[in-house]
Amino acid sequence: MTYNFYLNRNEKQRNKVSIFLYARENGKTICLNTEEYIETNGLSIKQAIDKYWDNKLQKVKSNYIGSLELNQYLAAFKLHIQNFVRKLREPNPYLSFEEIKEQLIEKTKPQQIIDFHTAFSQFIEIRKNEVTISTTKKFKTLQNILKEFEKSTQYKITFKNIDLMFKDLLLNFLINEKKLATNTISKYFDLLRTFLIWSLDRKIHSNTEFHKFKLKTVPTDIVYLTPNELEKLYSYDFSNNLAYERVRDVFCFACYTGQRFSDVSNFKFIDIENNIWNLRTQKTKEINKIPLIDNAVNIIQKYEQQGLSKLPTICNQKTNFYLKEICKLAEINDKINIVSYKGTERLETEKYKYELITTHTARRTFVTLSLEKGMRQEIVMKVTGHNDLKSFKKYLKIADSVKFSEMLNIWNDKPTNILKIA
C-alpha cells in the first residue's frame, strides 16, 4: 500500500486548503482527512498550493508559518496509519482492501465535538490522579482566569479560535486587568499549552496555532539562606513556642535534604534504612535514595524520641506564614531589592529577607549551598530529582560567584574581592 498527501483544491471555504492522506493499493484508494489545512493568506487556492506545498517532498514549505509543527504532525499521522495497517495484516496477510478501508475510516473518524471548557474540565478530572494536588489547583485557577477573560473581552474561547489574536488579547488581559508579572503569565501559558497538547493528541481538536505562542521570561532573584543564616536558624532556641520549633525543624530538614515540601510532608521514618531516605517522590513517583547528613538525622531522632512516626508538618500555607515570623526572630533580616516586570514595566521593591522565605526556599538553599561547597552539579541534580538542566539553571549564576572567588584566591598571591558577579 502506498501513502501520499494531497490537497483539496475544491475547498468551499476559500481561505484554506485541506490536507488528505491517500492510501492506495491495486488501483483502489482510501481518502483520509488529516483534519489539517494550509491557510491561503489572501492568495487563490492554486497560488497558495504553489507557494506553500512541496508535492515532491510531500510536506509544507518552510516559508509557511508553523511549517515545522505541521510537517511533524503530518509525518506522525502517516506513520500512525502505516503502523495501523501493518498490525491489521500481521495476523491476516490476506485481509481484503475493503475490510482495511472500513477500519481505517472508523479509526480516523472525527470524535464528537467537545467545547473548550468541557474538555478542560475533563482534562483536570482525568489528570488529577496523575499530578500533585498543587498542580491540579493551578489548572483550575487557569480555567477560572480564562472564564474571566471571556467575560471581560467578550471573546468566546473555542478550539478553532485559539490563534495569535487570542494570544495577544489574553496577554493584554493578564497584564492590564489581572496585573500579573511576566513570569507568572508565562507559567499560565505553559499550563494552557499542556492542555492543548493533551486535547490535540486525543483528536478533540486539530488546531496547532498554539505552537506559535512564544513568551519570554525574565531572570528572577533566587532567595536562599547562607550557611551562617541556616546555622543561626537551626540553633535558635524556640523551646518557648512549640509550633515555631516544629516548623523550624521541618524547614531545616528540607534544607539539609533538598526535597520538595510535599515529599517532606509525606516522609515517614520507616522509609529510612542506614541513614538513607528511600523517597518515592510525589511528583515523579520515582524512588530516590537520599543520604541524610548529621543535622537531618538529629531532627529525625528528636521526633522519634517523642513517639512520632513522621515529622510534625502542617499545611504549606500555615508553614509559610510561620516561617516569616520564625526567620524574623532569628534575625534573618538583610534587605533585598526585588526586581520584577509587568509587560515592559520594571518594578523594584525592597524587602527584608524574612518576608521572602517560603517552604521552597529550603530546596533552593540546599541546591545553592551544595554547589558552593563544591558538590558536582550532576550529583546535586540526582539528590534533588531535577531531571533537566532548564529548571536547574537558575541556581548556577549564584554558584558562579563562588567559582570566580575560589579561582582568584588560588591563582593570585593573595585573596581579592575585586571581581563581582552581577
Side-chain angles (χ1 to χ4, degrees), residues 295-323:
N295 284 350
V297 172
N298 292 338
I299 292 171
I300 291 170
Q301 290 176 344
K302 174 180 177 178
Y303 290 102
E304 278 185 325
Q305 291 168 4
Q306 296 180 19
L308 299 183
S309 61
K310 64 189 295 291
L311 293 176
T313 56
I314 56 178
C315 72
N316 191 59
Q317 186 177 5
K318 285 186 177 179
T319 299
N320 286 333
F321 175 79
Y322 283 136
L323 276 175

PDB file of all heavy atoms in Angstrom, residues 295-323:
ATOM      1  N   ASN A 295      22.791  16.642  60.815  1.00  0.00           N
ATOM      2  CA  ASN A 295      21.723  17.515  61.323  1.00  0.00           C
ATOM      3  C   ASN A 295      20.343  16.982  60.966  1.00  0.00           C
ATOM      4  O   ASN A 295      19.400  17.097  61.758  1.00  0.00           O
ATOM      5  CB  ASN A 295      21.893  18.928  60.770  1.00  0.00           C
ATOM      6  CG  ASN A 295      23.016  19.691  61.459  1.00  0.00           C
ATOM      7  OD1 ASN A 295      23.554  19.236  62.470  1.00  0.00           O
ATOM      8  ND2 ASN A 295      23.359  20.849  60.931  1.00  0.00           N
ATOM      9  N   ALA A 296      20.201  16.396  59.777  1.00  0.00           N
ATOM     10  CA  ALA A 296      18.914  15.813  59.384  1.00  0.00           C
ATOM     11  C   ALA A 296      18.578  14.614  60.267  1.00  0.00           C
ATOM     12  O   ALA A 296      17.433  14.447  60.700  1.00  0.00           O
ATOM     13  CB  ALA A 296      18.955  15.401  57.917  1.00  0.00           C
ATOM     14  N   VAL A 297      19.590  13.783  60.562  1.00  0.00           N
ATOM     15  CA  VAL A 297      19.391  12.623  61.441  1.00  0.00           C
ATOM     16  C   VAL A 297      19.004  13.072  62.839  1.00  0.00           C
ATOM     17  O   VAL A 297      18.113  12.491  63.482  1.00  0.00           O
ATOM     18  CB  VAL A 297      20.664  11.755  61.485  1.00  0.00           C
ATOM     19  CG1 VAL A 297      20.528  10.656  62.537  1.00  0.00           C
ATOM     20  CG2 VAL A 297      20.948  11.147  60.114  1.00  0.00           C
ATOM     21  N   ASN A 298      19.647  14.132  63.327  1.00  0.00           N
ATOM     22  CA  ASN A 298      19.332  14.647  64.663  1.00  0.00           C
ATOM     23  C   ASN A 298      17.879  15.105  64.766  1.00  0.00           C
ATOM     24  O   ASN A 298      17.213  14.889  65.785  1.00  0.00           O
ATOM     25  CB  ASN A 298      20.266  15.812  65.010  1.00  0.00           C
ATOM     26  CG  ASN A 298      21.703  15.359  65.204  1.00  0.00           C
ATOM     27  OD1 ASN A 298      21.960  14.179  65.485  1.00  0.00           O
ATOM     28  ND2 ASN A 298      22.644  16.278  65.059  1.00  0.00           N
ATOM     29  N   ILE A 299      17.373  15.736  63.703  1.00  0.00           N
ATOM     30  CA  ILE A 299      15.978  16.182  63.701  1.00  0.00           C
ATOM     31  C   ILE A 299      15.040  14.980  63.750  1.00  0.00           C
ATOM     32  O   ILE A 299      14.044  14.970  64.488  1.00  0.00           O
ATOM     33  CB  ILE A 299      15.697  17.051  62.459  1.00  0.00           C
ATOM     34  CG1 ILE A 299      16.458  18.375  62.551  1.00  0.00           C
ATOM     35  CG2 ILE A 299      14.191  17.322  62.304  1.00  0.00           C
ATOM     36  CD1 ILE A 299      16.417  19.212  61.284  1.00  0.00           C
ATOM     37  N   ILE A 300      15.360  13.954  62.981  1.00  0.00           N
ATOM     38  CA  ILE A 300      14.527  12.743  62.979  1.00  0.00           C
ATOM     39  C   ILE A 300      14.519  12.087  64.355  1.00  0.00           C
ATOM     40  O   ILE A 300      13.460  11.715  64.892  1.00  0.00           O
ATOM     41  CB  ILE A 300      15.047  11.749  61.915  1.00  0.00           C
ATOM     42  CG1 ILE A 300      14.779  12.303  60.515  1.00  0.00           C
ATOM     43  CG2 ILE A 300      14.375  10.384  62.077  1.00  0.00           C
ATOM     44  CD1 ILE A 300      15.464  11.528  59.417  1.00  0.00           C
ATOM     45  N   GLN A 301      15.698  11.937  64.926  1.00  0.00           N
ATOM     46  CA  GLN A 301      15.800  11.286  66.240  1.00  0.00           C
ATOM     47  C   GLN A 301      15.032  12.061  67.312  1.00  0.00           C
ATOM     48  O   GLN A 301      14.430  11.466  68.215  1.00  0.00           O
ATOM     49  CB  GLN A 301      17.273  11.136  66.633  1.00  0.00           C
ATOM     50  CG  GLN A 301      18.027  10.122  65.790  1.00  0.00           C
ATOM     51  CD  GLN A 301      19.508  10.051  66.114  1.00  0.00           C
ATOM     52  OE1 GLN A 301      20.056  10.957  66.768  1.00  0.00           O
ATOM     53  NE2 GLN A 301      20.168   8.994  65.668  1.00  0.00           N
ATOM     54  N   LYS A 302      15.045  13.372  67.193  1.00  0.00           N
ATOM     55  CA  LYS A 302      14.325  14.222  68.150  1.00  0.00           C
ATOM     56  C   LYS A 302      12.842  13.857  68.197  1.00  0.00           C
ATOM     57  O   LYS A 302      12.244  13.748  69.283  1.00  0.00           O
ATOM     58  CB  LYS A 302      14.511  15.685  67.757  1.00  0.00           C
ATOM     59  CG  LYS A 302      13.700  16.683  68.564  1.00  0.00           C
ATOM     60  CD  LYS A 302      13.979  18.099  68.069  1.00  0.00           C
ATOM     61  CE  LYS A 302      13.133  19.134  68.797  1.00  0.00           C
ATOM     62  NZ  LYS A 302      13.438  20.517  68.337  1.00  0.00           N
ATOM     63  N   TYR A 303      12.251  13.631  67.035  1.00  0.00           N
ATOM     64  CA  TYR A 303      10.818  13.344  66.990  1.00  0.00           C
ATOM     65  C   TYR A 303      10.501  11.865  67.149  1.00  0.00           C
ATOM     66  O   TYR A 303       9.398  11.505  67.570  1.00  0.00           O
ATOM     67  CB  TYR A 303      10.219  13.938  65.715  1.00  0.00           C
ATOM     68  CG  TYR A 303      10.209  15.460  65.789  1.00  0.00           C
ATOM     69  CD1 TYR A 303      11.165  16.210  65.120  1.00  0.00           C
ATOM     70  CD2 TYR A 303       9.286  16.114  66.587  1.00  0.00           C
ATOM     71  CE1 TYR A 303      11.186  17.598  65.228  1.00  0.00           C
ATOM     72  CE2 TYR A 303       9.289  17.495  66.710  1.00  0.00           C
ATOM     73  CZ  TYR A 303      10.253  18.240  66.026  1.00  0.00           C
ATOM     74  OH  TYR A 303      10.271  19.607  66.169  1.00  0.00           O
ATOM     75  N   GLU A 304      11.471  11.015  66.839  1.00  0.00           N
ATOM     76  CA  GLU A 304      11.303   9.594  67.155  1.00  0.00           C
ATOM     77  C   GLU A 304      11.215   9.405  68.670  1.00  0.00           C
ATOM     78  O   GLU A 304      10.419   8.598  69.161  1.00  0.00           O
ATOM     79  CB  GLU A 304      12.472   8.785  66.581  1.00  0.00           C
ATOM     80  CG  GLU A 304      12.340   8.441  65.112  1.00  0.00           C
ATOM     81  CD  GLU A 304      13.469   7.546  64.623  1.00  0.00           C
ATOM     82  OE1 GLU A 304      14.606   7.714  65.110  1.00  0.00           O
ATOM     83  OE2 GLU A 304      13.207   6.687  63.773  1.00  0.00           O
ATOM     84  N   GLN A 305      12.037  10.154  69.394  1.00  0.00           N
ATOM     85  CA  GLN A 305      12.041  10.060  70.856  1.00  0.00           C
ATOM     86  C   GLN A 305      10.747  10.569  71.463  1.00  0.00           C
ATOM     87  O   GLN A 305      10.396  10.226  72.588  1.00  0.00           O
ATOM     88  CB  GLN A 305      13.236  10.846  71.418  1.00  0.00           C
ATOM     89  CG  GLN A 305      14.583  10.209  71.102  1.00  0.00           C
ATOM     90  CD  GLN A 305      15.766  11.127  71.412  1.00  0.00           C
ATOM     91  OE1 GLN A 305      15.592  12.224  71.946  1.00  0.00           O
ATOM     92  NE2 GLN A 305      16.961  10.677  71.061  1.00  0.00           N
ATOM     93  N   GLN A 306      10.020  11.402  70.692  1.00  0.00           N
ATOM     94  CA  GLN A 306       8.719  11.882  71.160  1.00  0.00           C
ATOM     95  C   GLN A 306       7.590  10.934  70.767  1.00  0.00           C
ATOM     96  O   GLN A 306       6.418  11.221  70.996  1.00  0.00           O
ATOM     97  CB  GLN A 306       8.456  13.279  70.584  1.00  0.00           C
ATOM     98  CG  GLN A 306       9.429  14.350  71.072  1.00  0.00           C
ATOM     99  CD  GLN A 306       9.130  15.710  70.468  1.00  0.00           C
ATOM    100  OE1 GLN A 306       8.033  15.976  69.960  1.00  0.00           O
ATOM    101  NE2 GLN A 306      10.115  16.609  70.524  1.00  0.00           N
ATOM    102  N   GLY A 307       7.954   9.820  70.129  1.00  0.00           N
ATOM    103  CA  GLY A 307       6.967   8.814  69.761  1.00  0.00           C
ATOM    104  C   GLY A 307       6.273   9.060  68.437  1.00  0.00           C
ATOM    105  O   GLY A 307       5.280   8.397  68.121  1.00  0.00           O
ATOM    106  N   LEU A 308       6.790   9.994  67.624  1.00  0.00           N
ATOM    107  CA  LEU A 308       6.191  10.277  66.322  1.00  0.00           C
ATOM    108  C   LEU A 308       6.754   9.344  65.255  1.00  0.00           C
ATOM    109  O   LEU A 308       7.896   8.878  65.370  1.00  0.00           O
ATOM    110  CB  LEU A 308       6.434  11.729  65.921  1.00  0.00           C
ATOM    111  CG  LEU A 308       5.849  12.816  66.842  1.00  0.00           C
ATOM    112  CD1 LEU A 308       6.133  14.191  66.258  1.00  0.00           C
ATOM    113  CD2 LEU A 308       4.354  12.617  67.047  1.00  0.00           C
ATOM    114  N   SER A 309       5.982   9.094  64.233  1.00  0.00           N
ATOM    115  CA  SER A 309       6.418   8.235  63.130  1.00  0.00           C
ATOM    116  C   SER A 309       6.794   9.037  61.894  1.00  0.00           C
ATOM    117  O   SER A 309       7.238   8.478  60.897  1.00  0.00           O
ATOM    118  CB  SER A 309       5.316   7.231  62.763  1.00  0.00           C
ATOM    119  OG  SER A 309       4.141   7.918  62.351  1.00  0.00           O
ATOM    120  N   LYS A 310       6.609  10.347  61.982  1.00  0.00           N
ATOM    121  CA  LYS A 310       6.939  11.241  60.879  1.00  0.00           C
ATOM    122  C   LYS A 310       7.207  12.630  61.430  1.00  0.00           C
ATOM    123  O   LYS A 310       6.953  12.897  62.599  1.00  0.00           O
ATOM    124  CB  LYS A 310       5.818  11.278  59.838  1.00  0.00           C
ATOM    125  CG  LYS A 310       4.505  11.848  60.350  1.00  0.00           C
ATOM    126  CD  LYS A 310       3.369  11.669  59.359  1.00  0.00           C
ATOM    127  CE  LYS A 310       3.560  12.437  58.080  1.00  0.00           C
ATOM    128  NZ  LYS A 310       3.470  13.898  58.234  1.00  0.00           N
ATOM    129  N   LEU A 311       7.712  13.509  60.573  1.00  0.00           N
ATOM    130  CA  LEU A 311       7.959  14.881  61.005  1.00  0.00           C
ATOM    131  C   LEU A 311       6.633  15.606  61.235  1.00  0.00           C
ATOM    132  O   LEU A 311       5.649  15.345  60.538  1.00  0.00           O
ATOM    133  CB  LEU A 311       8.780  15.627  59.951  1.00  0.00           C
ATOM    134  CG  LEU A 311      10.220  15.140  59.740  1.00  0.00           C
ATOM    135  CD1 LEU A 311      10.887  15.906  58.603  1.00  0.00           C
ATOM    136  CD2 LEU A 311      11.035  15.296  61.025  1.00  0.00           C
ATOM    137  N   PRO A 312       6.592  16.544  62.184  1.00  0.00           N
ATOM    138  CA  PRO A 312       5.336  17.234  62.530  1.00  0.00           C
ATOM    139  C   PRO A 312       5.002  18.363  61.556  1.00  0.00           C
ATOM    140  O   PRO A 312       5.089  19.548  61.895  1.00  0.00           O
ATOM    141  CB  PRO A 312       5.618  17.767  63.933  1.00  0.00           C
ATOM    142  CG  PRO A 312       7.089  18.031  63.931  1.00  0.00           C
ATOM    143  CD  PRO A 312       7.695  16.935  63.084  1.00  0.00           C
ATOM    144  N   THR A 313       4.639  18.007  60.350  1.00  0.00           N
ATOM    145  CA  THR A 313       4.347  19.014  59.324  1.00  0.00           C
ATOM    146  C   THR A 313       2.914  19.520  59.444  1.00  0.00           C
ATOM    147  O   THR A 313       2.030  18.819  59.938  1.00  0.00           O
ATOM    148  CB  THR A 313       4.549  18.439  57.915  1.00  0.00           C
ATOM    149  OG1 THR A 313       3.734  17.264  57.769  1.00  0.00           O
ATOM    150  CG2 THR A 313       6.004  18.073  57.677  1.00  0.00           C
ATOM    151  N   ILE A 314       2.708  20.751  58.987  1.00  0.00           N
ATOM    152  CA  ILE A 314       1.377  21.323  58.859  1.00  0.00           C
ATOM    153  C   ILE A 314       1.211  21.747  57.404  1.00  0.00           C
ATOM    154  O   ILE A 314       2.134  21.575  56.603  1.00  0.00           O
ATOM    155  CB  ILE A 314       1.168  22.512  59.824  1.00  0.00           C
ATOM    156  CG1 ILE A 314       2.244  23.578  59.590  1.00  0.00           C
ATOM    157  CG2 ILE A 314       1.185  22.031  61.268  1.00  0.00           C
ATOM    158  CD1 ILE A 314       2.073  24.811  60.464  1.00  0.00           C
ATOM    159  N   CYS A 315       0.082  22.324  57.037  1.00  0.00           N
ATOM    160  CA  CYS A 315      -0.152  22.649  55.642  1.00  0.00           C
ATOM    161  C   CYS A 315       0.836  23.703  55.143  1.00  0.00           C
ATOM    162  O   CYS A 315       1.410  24.469  55.934  1.00  0.00           O
ATOM    163  CB  CYS A 315      -1.580  23.126  55.427  1.00  0.00           C
ATOM    164  SG  CYS A 315      -1.938  24.773  56.072  1.00  0.00           S
ATOM    165  N   ASN A 316       1.029  23.731  53.847  1.00  0.00           N
ATOM    166  CA  ASN A 316       2.010  24.618  53.222  1.00  0.00           C
ATOM    167  C   ASN A 316       1.726  26.092  53.537  1.00  0.00           C
ATOM    168  O   ASN A 316       2.638  26.877  53.822  1.00  0.00           O
ATOM    169  CB  ASN A 316       2.008  24.392  51.716  1.00  0.00           C
ATOM    170  CG  ASN A 316       3.173  25.062  51.026  1.00  0.00           C
ATOM    171  OD1 ASN A 316       4.328  24.785  51.315  1.00  0.00           O
ATOM    172  ND2 ASN A 316       2.867  25.959  50.107  1.00  0.00           N
ATOM    173  N   GLN A 317       0.447  26.487  53.500  1.00  0.00           N
ATOM    174  CA  GLN A 317       0.083  27.888  53.718  1.00  0.00           C
ATOM    175  C   GLN A 317       0.444  28.353  55.128  1.00  0.00           C
ATOM    176  O   GLN A 317       1.036  29.422  55.316  1.00  0.00           O
ATOM    177  CB  GLN A 317      -1.414  28.074  53.474  1.00  0.00           C
ATOM    178  CG  GLN A 317      -1.878  29.523  53.539  1.00  0.00           C
ATOM    179  CD  GLN A 317      -3.354  29.668  53.219  1.00  0.00           C
ATOM    180  OE1 GLN A 317      -4.058  28.683  53.040  1.00  0.00           O
ATOM    181  NE2 GLN A 317      -3.834  30.900  53.151  1.00  0.00           N
ATOM    182  N   LYS A 318       0.109  27.535  56.137  1.00  0.00           N
ATOM    183  CA  LYS A 318       0.433  27.901  57.517  1.00  0.00           C
ATOM    184  C   LYS A 318       1.937  27.868  57.752  1.00  0.00           C
ATOM    185  O   LYS A 318       2.478  28.695  58.492  1.00  0.00           O
ATOM    186  CB  LYS A 318      -0.280  26.956  58.488  1.00  0.00           C
ATOM    187  CG  LYS A 318      -1.766  27.215  58.626  1.00  0.00           C
ATOM    188  CD  LYS A 318      -2.372  26.348  59.714  1.00  0.00           C
ATOM    189  CE  LYS A 318      -3.856  26.665  59.906  1.00  0.00           C
ATOM    190  NZ  LYS A 318      -4.465  25.810  60.965  1.00  0.00           N
ATOM    191  N   THR A 319       2.605  26.910  57.128  1.00  0.00           N
ATOM    192  CA  THR A 319       4.061  26.823  57.271  1.00  0.00           C
ATOM    193  C   THR A 319       4.719  28.105  56.755  1.00  0.00           C
ATOM    194  O   THR A 319       5.603  28.669  57.411  1.00  0.00           O
ATOM    195  CB  THR A 319       4.611  25.611  56.500  1.00  0.00           C
ATOM    196  OG1 THR A 319       4.042  24.413  57.044  1.00  0.00           O
ATOM    197  CG2 THR A 319       6.126  25.526  56.628  1.00  0.00           C
ATOM    198  N   ASN A 320       4.283  28.576  55.595  1.00  0.00           N
ATOM    199  CA  ASN A 320       4.847  29.803  55.029  1.00  0.00           C
ATOM    200  C   ASN A 320       4.590  31.007  55.932  1.00  0.00           C
ATOM    201  O   ASN A 320       5.444  31.885  56.068  1.00  0.00           O
ATOM    202  CB  ASN A 320       4.275  30.065  53.637  1.00  0.00           C
ATOM    203  CG  ASN A 320       4.848  29.126  52.597  1.00  0.00           C
ATOM    204  OD1 ASN A 320       5.968  28.632  52.745  1.00  0.00           O
ATOM    205  ND2 ASN A 320       4.098  28.870  51.545  1.00  0.00           N
ATOM    206  N   PHE A 321       3.413  31.041  56.559  1.00  0.00           N
ATOM    207  CA  PHE A 321       3.091  32.139  57.477  1.00  0.00           C
ATOM    208  C   PHE A 321       4.040  32.123  58.682  1.00  0.00           C
ATOM    209  O   PHE A 321       4.609  33.156  59.061  1.00  0.00           O
ATOM    210  CB  PHE A 321       1.638  32.023  57.933  1.00  0.00           C
ATOM    211  CG  PHE A 321       1.244  33.034  58.977  1.00  0.00           C
ATOM    212  CD1 PHE A 321       0.940  34.343  58.613  1.00  0.00           C
ATOM    213  CD2 PHE A 321       1.187  32.683  60.321  1.00  0.00           C
ATOM    214  CE1 PHE A 321       0.588  35.285  59.572  1.00  0.00           C
ATOM    215  CE2 PHE A 321       0.844  33.614  61.286  1.00  0.00           C
ATOM    216  CZ  PHE A 321       0.536  34.921  60.915  1.00  0.00           C
ATOM    217  N   TYR A 322       4.212  30.944  59.289  1.00  0.00           N
ATOM    218  CA  TYR A 322       5.083  30.834  60.460  1.00  0.00           C
ATOM    219  C   TYR A 322       6.545  31.085  60.109  1.00  0.00           C
ATOM    220  O   TYR A 322       7.294  31.662  60.906  1.00  0.00           O
ATOM    221  CB  TYR A 322       4.942  29.443  61.091  1.00  0.00           C
ATOM    222  CG  TYR A 322       3.683  29.247  61.905  1.00  0.00           C
ATOM    223  CD1 TYR A 322       2.927  28.093  61.786  1.00  0.00           C
ATOM    224  CD2 TYR A 322       3.249  30.212  62.808  1.00  0.00           C
ATOM    225  CE1 TYR A 322       1.767  27.893  62.527  1.00  0.00           C
ATOM    226  CE2 TYR A 322       2.095  30.031  63.562  1.00  0.00           C
ATOM    227  CZ  TYR A 322       1.358  28.881  63.421  1.00  0.00           C
ATOM    228  OH  TYR A 322       0.224  28.695  64.163  1.00  0.00           O
ATOM    229  N   LEU A 323       6.960  30.651  58.929  1.00  0.00           N
ATOM    230  CA  LEU A 323       8.371  30.789  58.553  1.00  0.00           C
ATOM    231  C   LEU A 323       8.831  32.242  58.587  1.00  0.00           C
ATOM    232  O   LEU A 323       9.952  32.544  59.007  1.00  0.00           O
ATOM    233  CB  LEU A 323       8.610  30.204  57.155  1.00  0.00           C
ATOM    234  CG  LEU A 323       8.847  28.701  57.067  1.00  0.00           C
ATOM    235  CD1 LEU A 323       8.946  28.263  55.612  1.00  0.00           C
ATOM    236  CD2 LEU A 323      10.116  28.323  57.829  1.00  0.00           C
TER     237      LEU A 323
END
